[in-house]
């Protein structure tokens, strides 16, 4: 299981993320349809390109979540869509502030 605070990078684009809230589903975290790898695992440059259907990209500074409660923070944007398996992650929306009287 991927731990909170783990830094991962894409193998096919410039995407880098930090795990904010870990869950078992993140064992299959992908960027551009290809599994992400630890940043510490070497400084290999991205090779190839995102797979078709996973080219919507991601935004720096945004948090992405899945249905299982996992959450990742994008620290470097890239061309690949973040997904768990083939299910794309969604941007975490900010909660509206309560109305004051």
């Amino acid at each position: 299981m991927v731990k909170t605070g783990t830094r991962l990078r894409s193998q096919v684009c410039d995407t880098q993320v930090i795990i904010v809230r870990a869950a078992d589903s993140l064992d299959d975290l992908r960027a551009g349809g290809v599994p992400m790898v630890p940043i510490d695992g070497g400084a290999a440059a991205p090779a190839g390109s995102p797979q078709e259907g996973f080219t919507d990209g991601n935004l720096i500074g945004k948090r992405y979540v899945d249905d299982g409660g996992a959450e990742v923070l994008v620290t470097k944007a890239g061309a690949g869509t973040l997904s768990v398996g083939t299910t794309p992650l969604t941007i975490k929306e900010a909660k509206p502030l309560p109305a004051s009287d």
Side-chain angles (χ1 to χ4, degrees):
M1 181 172 146
V2 179
K3 296 180 181 178
T4 299
T6 301
R7 297 180 64 204
L8 301 172
R9 67 172 175 81
S10 172
Q11 298 185 74
V12 294
C13 66
D14 293 331
T15 302
Q16 293 183 4
V17 301
I18 292 178
I19 306 300
V20 175
R21 184 171 298 139
D24 290 337
S25 60
L26 292 181
D27 288 340
D28 195 20
L29 180 63
R30 301 177 185 186
V34 178
M36 297 189 81
V37 296
I39 286 180
D40 301 335
S49 60
Q51 295 178 356
E52 189 170 322
F54 294 98
T55 58
D56 291 337
N58 51 69
L59 303 171
I60 190 168
K62 294 293 183 182
R63 292 174 183 245
Y64 289 81
V65 295
D66 75 346
D67 294 338
E71 183 174 330
V72 300
L73 171 66
V74 175
T75 57
K76 188 174 181 183
T81 301
L82 292 172
S83 64
V84 171
T86 58
T87 306
L89 300 182
T90 58
I91 293 178
K92 183 177 181 180
E93 300 293 331
K95 294 180 181 177
L97 295 173
S100 61
D101 296 340

Coordinates of all heavy atoms in Angstrom, one line a residue:
M1 N 0.8 -1.2 0.0 CA 0.0 0.0 0.0 C 0.9 1.2 0.0 O 1.9 1.3 0.7 CB -0.9 0.0 1.2 CG -1.8 1.2 1.3 SD -3.0 1.0 2.6 CE -3.1 2.7 3.1
V2 N 0.5 2.2 -0.8 CA 1.2 3.5 -0.9 C 0.9 4.3 0.4 O -0.2 4.3 0.8 CB 0.8 4.3 -2.1 CG1 1.5 5.6 -2.2 CG2 1.0 3.5 -3.4
K3 N 2.0 4.9 1.0 CA 1.8 5.6 2.2 C 1.6 7.1 2.0 O 2.0 7.6 1.0 CB 3.1 5.4 3.1 CG 3.3 4.0 3.5 CD 4.6 4.0 4.4 CE 4.9 2.5 4.8 NZ 6.1 2.4 5.6
T4 N 0.9 7.7 3.0 CA 0.7 9.2 2.9 C 2.1 9.8 2.9 O 3.0 9.4 3.6 CB -0.1 9.6 4.1 OG1 -1.3 9.0 4.1 CG2 -0.2 11.1 4.2
G5 N 2.3 10.8 2.0 CA 3.5 11.5 1.9 C 4.4 11.0 0.8 O 5.5 11.6 0.5
T6 N 4.1 9.9 0.2 CA 4.9 9.3 -0.8 C 4.8 10.2 -2.1 O 3.7 10.7 -2.4 CB 4.4 7.9 -1.2 OG1 4.4 7.1 -0.1 CG2 5.2 7.3 -2.3
R7 N 5.9 10.4 -2.7 CA 6.0 11.2 -3.9 C 6.2 10.3 -5.1 O 7.0 9.4 -5.1 CB 7.2 12.2 -3.9 CG 7.0 13.2 -2.7 CD 8.1 14.2 -2.6 NE 8.1 15.0 -3.8 CZ 9.2 15.6 -4.3 NH1 10.4 15.5 -3.7 NH2 9.2 16.3 -5.4
L8 N 5.3 10.5 -6.1 CA 5.3 9.6 -7.3 C 5.4 10.5 -8.6 O 5.1 11.7 -8.5 CB 4.0 8.8 -7.4 CG 3.7 7.9 -6.2 CD1 2.3 7.3 -6.4 CD2 4.7 6.8 -6.1
R9 N 5.9 9.9 -9.6 CA 6.0 10.6 -10.9 C 5.5 9.7 -12.0 O 5.5 8.5 -11.9 CB 7.5 11.0 -11.2 CG 8.4 9.9 -11.5 CD 9.8 10.3 -11.9 NE 10.7 9.2 -12.0 CZ 10.7 8.4 -13.1 NH1 9.9 8.6 -14.1 NH2 11.6 7.4 -13.1
S10 N 5.1 10.4 -13.1 CA 4.6 9.6 -14.3 C 5.8 9.1 -15.1 O 6.9 9.7 -15.1 CB 3.8 10.6 -15.1 OG 3.5 10.0 -16.4
Q11 N 5.5 8.0 -15.8 CA 6.5 7.5 -16.7 C 6.4 8.0 -18.1 O 7.2 7.8 -19.0 CB 6.4 5.9 -16.7 CG 6.6 5.3 -15.4 CD 6.6 3.8 -15.5 OE1 7.6 3.2 -16.0 NE2 5.5 3.2 -15.0
V12 N 5.2 8.7 -18.4 CA 5.0 9.1 -19.8 C 4.8 10.6 -19.9 O 4.5 11.1 -21.0 CB 3.8 8.4 -20.4 CG1 4.1 6.9 -20.6 CG2 2.5 8.6 -19.6
C13 N 4.8 11.4 -18.8 CA 4.6 12.8 -18.9 C 5.3 13.5 -17.7 O 6.0 12.8 -16.9 CB 3.1 13.2 -19.0 SG 2.2 12.9 -17.5
D14 N 5.1 14.8 -17.5 CA 5.8 15.5 -16.4 C 5.1 15.4 -15.1 O 5.6 16.0 -14.1 CB 6.0 16.9 -16.9 CG 7.0 17.1 -18.0 OD1 7.8 16.2 -18.2 OD2 6.8 18.1 -18.8
T15 N 4.0 14.8 -15.0 CA 3.2 14.8 -13.8 C 4.0 14.2 -12.6 O 4.6 13.2 -12.6 CB 1.9 13.9 -14.0 OG1 1.2 14.4 -15.0 CG2 1.1 13.9 -12.7
Q16 N 3.9 15.0 -11.4 CA 4.4 14.5 -10.1 C 3.3 14.8 -9.1 O 2.6 15.8 -9.2 CB 5.7 15.2 -9.8 CG 6.8 14.9 -10.7 CD 8.1 15.6 -10.2 OE1 8.2 16.3 -9.2 NE2 9.2 15.4 -11.0
V17 N 3.2 13.9 -8.1 CA 2.1 14.0 -7.1 C 2.7 13.6 -5.7 O 3.7 12.9 -5.7 CB 0.9 13.1 -7.4 CG1 0.3 13.5 -8.7 CG2 1.2 11.7 -7.3
I18 N 2.0 14.0 -4.7 CA 2.2 13.6 -3.3 C 0.9 13.0 -2.8 O -0.2 13.6 -3.1 CB 2.6 14.8 -2.4 CG1 4.0 15.3 -2.8 CG2 2.6 14.3 -0.9 CD1 4.4 16.5 -2.0
I19 N 1.0 11.8 -2.2 CA -0.1 11.2 -1.6 C -0.5 11.9 -0.4 O 0.2 12.0 0.6 CB 0.1 9.7 -1.3 CG1 0.7 9.0 -2.5 CG2 -1.1 9.0 -0.7 CD1 -0.2 9.0 -3.7
V20 N -1.7 12.5 -0.4 CA -2.3 13.2 0.8 C -3.0 12.3 1.7 O -2.9 12.4 2.9 CB -3.1 14.4 0.3 CG1 -3.8 15.1 1.5 CG2 -2.3 15.4 -0.5
R21 N -3.9 11.4 1.1 CA -4.6 10.5 1.9 C -4.5 9.1 1.2 O -5.0 9.0 0.1 CB -6.1 10.9 2.0 CG -6.9 10.0 2.9 CD -8.3 10.5 3.2 NE -8.2 11.8 4.0 CZ -8.9 12.9 3.7 NH1 -9.9 12.8 2.8 NH2 -8.8 14.0 4.4
A22 N -3.9 8.2 1.9 CA -3.6 6.9 1.3 C -4.9 6.0 1.3 O -5.7 6.2 2.2 CB -2.5 6.2 1.9
A23 N -5.0 5.1 0.4 CA -6.0 4.1 0.3 C -5.5 3.0 -0.5 O -4.5 3.1 -1.3 CB -7.3 4.6 -0.3
D24 N -6.1 1.8 -0.3 CA -5.6 0.6 -1.1 C -5.7 0.8 -2.6 O -4.9 0.3 -3.4 CB -6.4 -0.6 -0.7 CG -6.1 -1.1 0.7 OD1 -5.0 -0.7 1.2 OD2 -6.9 -1.7 1.3
S25 N -6.7 1.7 -3.0 CA -6.9 1.9 -4.5 C -5.7 2.5 -5.1 O -5.5 2.4 -6.3 CB -8.1 2.7 -4.7 OG -8.0 4.0 -4.0
L26 N -4.9 3.2 -4.4 CA -3.7 4.0 -4.9 C -2.6 3.0 -5.4 O -1.6 3.5 -6.0 CB -3.2 5.0 -4.0 CG -4.1 6.2 -3.8 CD1 -3.5 7.2 -2.8 CD2 -4.5 6.9 -5.1
D27 N -2.7 1.8 -5.0 CA -1.7 0.8 -5.5 C -1.7 0.7 -7.0 O -0.8 0.3 -7.7 CB -2.0 -0.6 -4.9 CG -1.6 -0.7 -3.5 OD1 -0.8 0.2 -3.0 OD2 -2.1 -1.6 -2.8
D28 N -2.8 1.2 -7.7 CA -3.0 1.1 -9.1 C -3.1 2.6 -9.7 O -3.7 2.8 -10.7 CB -4.2 0.3 -9.5 CG -4.1 0.0 -11.0 OD1 -3.0 0.0 -11.6 OD2 -5.2 -0.4 -11.6
L29 N -2.4 3.5 -9.0 CA -2.5 4.9 -9.5 C -1.7 5.1 -10.8 O -0.6 4.6 -10.9 CB -1.9 5.9 -8.4 CG -1.9 7.4 -8.7 CD1 -3.3 7.9 -8.9 CD2 -1.2 8.1 -7.7
R30 N -2.3 5.7 -11.7 CA -1.7 5.9 -13.1 C -1.8 7.4 -13.5 O -2.7 8.1 -13.1 CB -2.5 5.1 -14.1 CG -2.5 3.6 -13.8 CD -3.3 2.8 -14.8 NE -3.4 1.4 -14.4 CZ -4.0 0.5 -15.2 NH1 -4.5 0.8 -16.4 NH2 -4.0 -0.8 -14.8
A31 N -0.9 7.7 -14.4 CA -0.9 9.0 -15.0 C -0.7 8.7 -16.5 O 0.2 8.1 -16.9 CB 0.2 9.9 -14.5
G32 N -1.7 9.2 -17.3 CA -1.6 8.9 -18.7 C -1.9 7.4 -19.1 O -1.5 6.9 -20.1
G33 N -2.5 6.7 -18.1 CA -2.8 5.3 -18.4 C -1.7 4.3 -18.0 O -1.8 3.1 -18.2
V34 N -0.6 4.9 -17.5 CA 0.6 4.1 -17.1 C 0.9 4.2 -15.6 O 0.8 5.3 -15.1 CB 1.8 4.5 -18.0 CG1 3.0 3.7 -17.6 CG2 1.5 4.4 -19.5
P35 N 1.2 3.1 -14.9 CA 1.4 3.2 -13.5 C 2.5 4.2 -13.1 O 3.5 4.4 -13.8 CB 1.8 1.8 -13.1 CG 1.2 0.9 -14.2 CD 1.2 1.7 -15.4
M36 N 2.2 4.9 -12.0 CA 3.2 5.9 -11.5 C 4.3 5.2 -10.7 O 4.1 4.1 -10.2 CB 2.5 7.0 -10.7 CG 1.5 7.8 -11.5 SD 0.8 9.2 -10.6 CE 2.2 10.4 -10.9
V37 N 5.5 5.8 -10.7 CA 6.6 5.2 -10.0 C 7.1 6.2 -8.9 O 6.9 7.4 -9.1 CB 7.7 4.8 -11.0 CG1 7.3 3.7 -11.9 CG2 8.2 6.0 -11.7
P38 N 7.8 5.7 -7.9 CA 8.4 6.6 -6.9 C 9.4 7.6 -7.5 O 10.2 7.2 -8.4 CB 9.1 5.7 -5.9 CG 8.4 4.4 -6.1 CD 8.0 4.3 -7.5
I39 N 9.4 8.8 -7.1 CA 10.4 9.8 -7.6 C 11.8 9.4 -7.2 O 12.7 9.6 -8.0 CB 10.0 11.2 -7.0 CG1 8.8 11.8 -7.7 CG2 11.2 12.2 -7.2 CD1 8.4 13.1 -7.2
D40 N 12.0 8.8 -6.0 CA 13.3 8.5 -5.6 C 13.9 7.3 -6.4 O 15.1 7.0 -6.2 CB 13.2 8.1 -4.1 CG 12.7 9.2 -3.2 OD1 12.8 10.4 -3.7 OD2 12.2 8.9 -2.2
G41 N 13.1 6.7 -7.2 CA 13.6 5.5 -7.9 C 14.5 5.8 -9.1 O 14.8 4.9 -9.9
G42 N 14.9 7.0 -9.3 CA 15.8 7.3 -10.4 C 15.3 8.6 -11.1 O 14.2 9.0 -10.9
A43 N 16.2 9.2 -11.8 CA 15.9 10.4 -12.5 C 15.6 10.2 -14.0 O 15.9 11.0 -14.8 CB 17.0 11.4 -12.3
A44 N 15.0 9.1 -14.3 CA 14.7 8.8 -15.7 C 13.7 9.8 -16.3 O 12.7 10.1 -15.6 CB 14.2 7.4 -15.9
A45 N 14.0 10.3 -17.5 CA 13.1 11.2 -18.1 C 11.8 10.5 -18.6 O 11.9 9.3 -18.9 CB 13.8 11.9 -19.3
P46 N 10.7 11.2 -18.7 CA 9.5 10.5 -19.2 C 9.7 10.0 -20.6 O 10.4 10.6 -21.4 CB 8.4 11.6 -19.2 CG 8.9 12.6 -18.3 CD 10.4 12.5 -18.3
A47 N 9.2 8.8 -20.9 CA 9.4 8.2 -22.2 C 8.0 7.8 -22.7 O 7.2 7.4 -22.0 CB 10.3 6.9 -22.1
G48 N 7.8 8.0 -24.0 CA 6.5 7.7 -24.6 C 5.6 8.8 -24.4 O 5.9 10.0 -24.2
S49 N 4.3 8.5 -24.5 CA 3.2 9.5 -24.4 C 2.1 8.9 -23.7 O 1.9 7.6 -23.7 CB 2.9 10.1 -25.8 OG 2.4 9.0 -26.6
P50 N 1.1 9.7 -23.2 CA 0.0 9.1 -22.5 C -0.9 8.3 -23.5 O -0.9 8.6 -24.7 CB -0.8 10.4 -22.0 CG 0.2 11.4 -21.9 CD 1.2 11.2 -23.0
Q51 N -1.5 7.3 -23.0 CA -2.4 6.4 -23.8 C -3.6 7.2 -24.2 O -4.1 8.1 -23.5 CB -2.8 5.2 -23.0 CG -1.6 4.3 -22.6 CD -2.1 3.1 -21.8 OE1 -3.2 3.0 -21.4 NE2 -1.1 2.2 -21.5
E52 N -4.2 6.8 -25.3 CA -5.4 7.4 -25.9 C -6.5 7.3 -24.8 O -6.7 6.3 -24.2 CB -5.8 6.8 -27.2 CG -6.9 7.5 -27.9 CD -7.1 7.0 -29.3 OE1 -6.1 6.7 -29.9 OE2 -8.3 6.9 -29.6
G53 N -7.2 8.4 -24.6 CA -8.3 8.4 -23.6 C -7.8 8.9 -22.3 O -8.6 9.1 -21.4
F54 N -6.5 9.1 -22.1 CA -5.9 9.5 -20.8 C -5.0 10.7 -21.1 O -3.9 10.9 -20.5 CB -5.1 8.4 -20.1 CG -6.0 7.3 -19.7 CD1 -6.1 6.1 -20.5 CD2 -6.7 7.3 -18.5 CE1 -6.9 5.1 -20.1 CE2 -7.5 6.3 -18.1 CZ -7.6 5.2 -18.9
T55 N -5.5 11.7 -21.9 CA -4.7 12.8 -22.3 C -5.3 14.1 -21.9 O -4.9 15.2 -22.4 CB -4.4 12.8 -23.8 OG1 -5.7 12.8 -24.5 CG2 -3.6 11.6 -24.3
D56 N -6.2 14.1 -21.0 CA -6.8 15.4 -20.5 C -5.9 16.2 -19.6 O -6.2 17.4 -19.4 CB -8.1 15.1 -19.8 CG -9.2 14.6 -20.8 OD1 -9.1 14.8 -22.0 OD2 -10.1 13.9 -20.3
G57 N -4.9 15.6 -19.1 CA -3.9 16.3 -18.3 C -4.4 16.5 -16.8 O -5.5 16.0 -16.4
N58 N -3.6 17.3 -16.1 CA -3.9 17.6 -14.7 C -3.4 18.9 -14.4 O -2.6 19.5 -15.1 CB -3.4 16.5 -13.7 CG -1.9 16.2 -14.0 OD1 -1.1 17.1 -13.7 ND2 -1.6 15.1 -14.6
L59 N -3.8 19.5 -13.3 CA -3.5 20.9 -12.9 C -2.6 21.0 -11.7 O -2.9 20.3 -10.7 CB -4.8 21.7 -12.7 CG -5.7 21.7 -13.9 CD1 -7.0 22.4 -13.5 CD2 -5.1 22.5 -15.1
I60 N -1.6 21.8 -11.7 CA -0.7 21.9 -10.6 C -1.5 22.5 -9.4 O -2.3 23.4 -9.6 CB 0.6 22.7 -10.9 CG1 1.6 22.7 -9.8 CG2 0.2 24.2 -11.3 CD1 2.9 23.2 -10.2
G61 N -1.2 22.0 -8.2 CA -1.8 22.6 -7.0 C -3.2 22.0 -6.7 O -3.8 22.4 -5.7
K62 N -3.8 21.3 -7.6 CA -5.1 20.7 -7.4 C -5.0 19.4 -6.7 O -4.1 18.6 -6.9 CB -5.8 20.6 -8.7 CG -6.2 21.9 -9.4 CD -7.2 22.7 -8.6 CE -7.5 24.0 -9.3 NZ -8.4 24.8 -8.6
R63 N -6.1 19.1 -5.9 CA -6.2 17.8 -5.3 C -7.2 16.9 -6.0 O -8.2 17.4 -6.4 CB -6.6 18.0 -3.8 CG -5.6 18.7 -3.0 CD -6.2 19.0 -1.6 NE -5.2 19.7 -0.8 CZ -4.6 19.2 0.3 NH1 -5.0 18.0 0.8 NH2 -3.7 19.9 0.9
Y64 N -6.8 15.7 -6.3 CA -7.6 14.8 -7.0 C -8.0 13.6 -6.0 O -7.2 13.2 -5.3 CB -6.9 14.2 -8.2 CG -6.7 15.2 -9.3 CD1 -5.7 16.2 -9.3 CD2 -7.6 15.3 -10.4 CE1 -5.6 17.1 -10.3 CE2 -7.4 16.2 -11.4 CZ -6.4 17.1 -11.3 OH -6.3 18.1 -12.3
V65 N -9.3 13.2 -6.1 CA -9.8 12.2 -5.2 C -10.5 11.1 -6.0 O -10.8 11.2 -7.2 CB -10.8 12.8 -4.2 CG1 -10.2 13.8 -3.3 CG2 -12.0 13.4 -5.0
D66 N -10.6 9.9 -5.4 CA -11.4 8.8 -5.9 C -12.5 8.5 -5.0 O -12.7 9.1 -4.0 CB -10.5 7.6 -6.2 CG -10.1 6.8 -5.0 OD1 -10.3 7.3 -3.9 OD2 -9.6 5.7 -5.1
D67 N -13.3 7.5 -5.4 CA -14.5 7.2 -4.6 C -14.2 6.5 -3.3 O -14.9 6.5 -2.4 CB -15.4 6.2 -5.5 CG -16.0 6.9 -6.7 OD1 -16.1 8.2 -6.6 OD2 -16.4 6.2 -7.6
G68 N -12.9 5.9 -3.2 CA -12.5 5.2 -2.0 C -11.9 6.1 -0.9 O -11.5 5.7 0.1
G69 N -11.9 7.4 -1.2 CA -11.4 8.4 -0.2 C -9.9 8.7 -0.4 O -9.4 9.5 0.4
A70 N -9.3 8.2 -1.4 CA -7.9 8.5 -1.6 C -7.8 9.9 -2.2 O -8.7 10.4 -2.8 CB -7.3 7.5 -2.6
E71 N -6.6 10.6 -1.8 CA -6.4 11.9 -2.3 C -5.0 12.2 -2.6 O -4.1 11.8 -1.9 CB -6.9 12.9 -1.2 CG -6.8 14.4 -1.5 CD -7.4 15.2 -0.4 OE1 -8.3 14.8 0.4 OE2 -6.9 16.3 -0.2
V72 N -4.7 12.8 -3.8 CA -3.4 13.1 -4.2 C -3.3 14.6 -4.6 O -4.3 15.2 -5.0 CB -2.9 12.3 -5.4 CG1 -2.9 10.8 -5.1 CG2 -3.7 12.5 -6.6
L73 N -2.1 15.2 -4.3 CA -1.9 16.6 -4.7 C -0.9 16.7 -5.8 O 0.2 16.1 -5.7 CB -1.3 17.3 -3.5 CG -0.8 18.8 -3.7 CD1 -2.0 19.7 -4.1 CD2 -0.1 19.3 -2.4
V74 N -1.2 17.4 -6.9 CA -0.4 17.5 -8.0 C 0.7 18.6 -7.7 O 0.4 19.7 -7.5 CB -1.2 17.9 -9.3 CG1 -0.2 18.1 -10.5 CG2 -2.1 16.8 -9.6
T75 N 2.0 18.2 -7.8 CA 3.1 19.1 -7.5 C 3.7 19.6 -8.8 O 4.5 20.5 -8.8 CB 4.1 18.5 -6.6 OG1 4.6 17.3 -7.2 CG2 3.5 18.2 -5.2
K76 N 3.5 18.8 -9.9 CA 4.0 19.2 -11.2 C 3.0 18.7 -12.2 O 2.7 17.5 -12.3 CB 5.4 18.6 -11.5 CG 6.0 19.1 -12.7 CD 7.5 18.6 -12.8 CE 8.1 19.2 -14.1 NZ 9.5 18.7 -14.3
A77 N 2.4 19.6 -13.0 CA 1.4 19.3 -14.0 C 2.0 18.5 -15.2 O 3.2 18.6 -15.5 CB 0.7 20.5 -14.5
G78 N 1.1 17.7 -15.8 CA 1.5 17.0 -17.0 C 0.4 16.7 -17.9 O -0.8 17.1 -17.6
A79 N 0.6 16.1 -19.0 CA -0.4 15.9 -20.0 C -1.2 14.6 -19.8 O -2.3 14.5 -20.4 CB 0.3 15.7 -21.4
G80 N -0.9 13.8 -18.8 CA -1.6 12.6 -18.6 C -2.7 12.7 -17.5 O -2.5 13.5 -16.5
T81 N -3.8 12.1 -17.7 CA -4.9 12.1 -16.8 C -4.6 11.1 -15.6 O -4.1 10.0 -15.8 CB -6.2 11.6 -17.5 OG1 -6.5 12.4 -18.6 CG2 -7.4 11.5 -16.6
L82 N -4.9 11.6 -14.4 CA -4.7 10.8 -13.2 C -5.8 9.8 -13.1 O -7.0 10.2 -13.3 CB -4.6 11.6 -12.0 CG -3.3 12.5 -11.9 CD1 -3.5 13.4 -10.7 CD2 -2.1 11.7 -11.7
S83 N -5.5 8.6 -12.8 CA -6.6 7.6 -12.7 C -6.2 6.5 -11.7 O -5.0 6.3 -11.5 CB -6.9 7.0 -14.1 OG -5.8 6.3 -14.6
V84 N -7.2 5.7 -11.3 CA -7.0 4.5 -10.5 C -7.5 3.4 -11.4 O -8.6 3.3 -11.7 CB -7.7 4.5 -9.2 CG1 -7.6 3.1 -8.5 CG2 -7.1 5.6 -8.2
G85 N -6.5 2.7 -12.0 CA -6.9 1.7 -13.0 C -7.3 2.5 -14.2 O -6.6 3.4 -14.7
T86 N -8.6 2.3 -14.7 CA -9.1 3.0 -15.9 C -10.1 4.0 -15.5 O -10.7 4.7 -16.3 CB -9.7 2.0 -16.9 OG1 -10.7 1.3 -16.2 CG2 -8.7 1.1 -17.4
T87 N -10.3 4.2 -14.1 CA -11.3 5.2 -13.6 C -10.5 6.5 -13.3 O -9.7 6.6 -12.4 CB -11.9 4.7 -12.4 OG1 -12.5 3.4 -12.6 CG2 -13.0 5.7 -11.9
P88 N -10.8 7.6 -14.1 CA -10.2 8.9 -13.8 C -10.5 9.5 -12.4 O -11.6 9.3 -11.9 CB -10.7 9.8 -14.9 CG -11.3 8.9 -15.9 CD -11.7 7.7 -15.2
L89 N -9.5 10.1 -11.8 CA -9.8 10.8 -10.6 C -10.5 12.1 -10.8 O -10.3 12.7 -11.9 CB -8.4 11.1 -9.8 CG -7.6 9.8 -9.5 CD1 -6.3 10.3 -8.7 CD2 -8.4 8.9 -8.6
T90 N -11.2 12.7 -9.9 CA -11.8 13.9 -10.0 C -11.2 15.0 -9.1 O -10.6 14.7 -8.1 CB -13.3 13.8 -9.6 OG1 -13.4 13.4 -8.3 CG2 -14.0 12.8 -10.6
I91 N -11.3 16.2 -9.6 CA -10.8 17.3 -8.8 C -11.6 17.5 -7.5 O -12.9 17.5 -7.6 CB -10.8 18.6 -9.6 CG1 -9.8 18.5 -10.7 CG2 -10.4 19.8 -8.7 CD1 -9.7 19.8 -11.6
K92 N -10.9 17.6 -6.4 CA -11.7 17.9 -5.1 C -12.2 19.3 -5.1 O -11.4 20.2 -5.2 CB -10.7 17.6 -3.9 CG -11.4 17.7 -2.6 CD -10.4 17.4 -1.5 CE -11.1 17.5 -0.1 NZ -10.2 17.2 1.0
E93 N -13.5 19.4 -4.9 CA -14.1 20.7 -4.9 C -14.0 21.3 -3.5 O -14.1 20.6 -2.5 CB -15.6 20.6 -5.3 CG -15.8 20.1 -6.7 CD -15.3 21.0 -7.8 OE1 -15.3 22.3 -7.6 OE2 -14.8 20.5 -8.8
A94 N -13.8 22.6 -3.4 CA -13.8 23.3 -2.1 C -15.2 23.3 -1.5 O -16.2 23.5 -2.3 CB -13.3 24.7 -2.3
K95 N -15.3 23.2 -0.2 CA -16.6 23.2 0.4 C -17.0 24.7 0.6 O -16.2 25.6 0.9 CB -16.6 22.6 1.8 CG -16.3 21.1 1.7 CD -16.3 20.5 3.1 CE -16.0 19.0 3.1 NZ -15.8 18.4 4.4
P96 N -18.3 25.0 0.3 CA -18.7 26.4 0.5 C -18.7 26.8 2.0 O -19.0 25.9 2.8 CB -20.2 26.4 -0.1 CG -20.6 24.9 -0.1 CD -19.3 24.1 -0.2
L97 N -18.4 28.0 2.2 CA -18.4 28.5 3.6 C -19.9 28.6 4.1 O -20.8 28.9 3.3 CB -17.8 29.9 3.6 CG -16.3 29.9 3.3 CD1 -15.8 31.4 3.2 CD2 -15.5 29.1 4.3
P98 N -20.1 28.4 5.4 CA -21.5 28.5 5.9 C -21.9 29.9 5.8 O -21.1 30.9 6.0 CB -21.3 28.0 7.3 CG -19.9 28.1 7.6 CD -19.1 28.0 6.4
A99 N -23.2 30.1 5.6 CA -23.7 31.4 5.5 C -23.7 32.0 6.9 O -24.1 31.3 7.9 CB -25.1 31.4 5.0
S100 N -23.4 33.2 7.1 CA -23.5 33.9 8.4 C -24.8 34.7 8.5 O -25.3 35.1 7.5 CB -22.3 34.8 8.6 OG -22.3 35.8 7.6
D101 N -25.2 34.8 9.7 CA -26.5 35.5 9.9 C -26.3 37.0 10.0 O -25.4 37.5 10.4 CB -27.2 35.0 11.1 CG -27.6 33.5 11.0 OD1 -27.7 33.1 9.8 OD2 -27.8 32.9 12.0

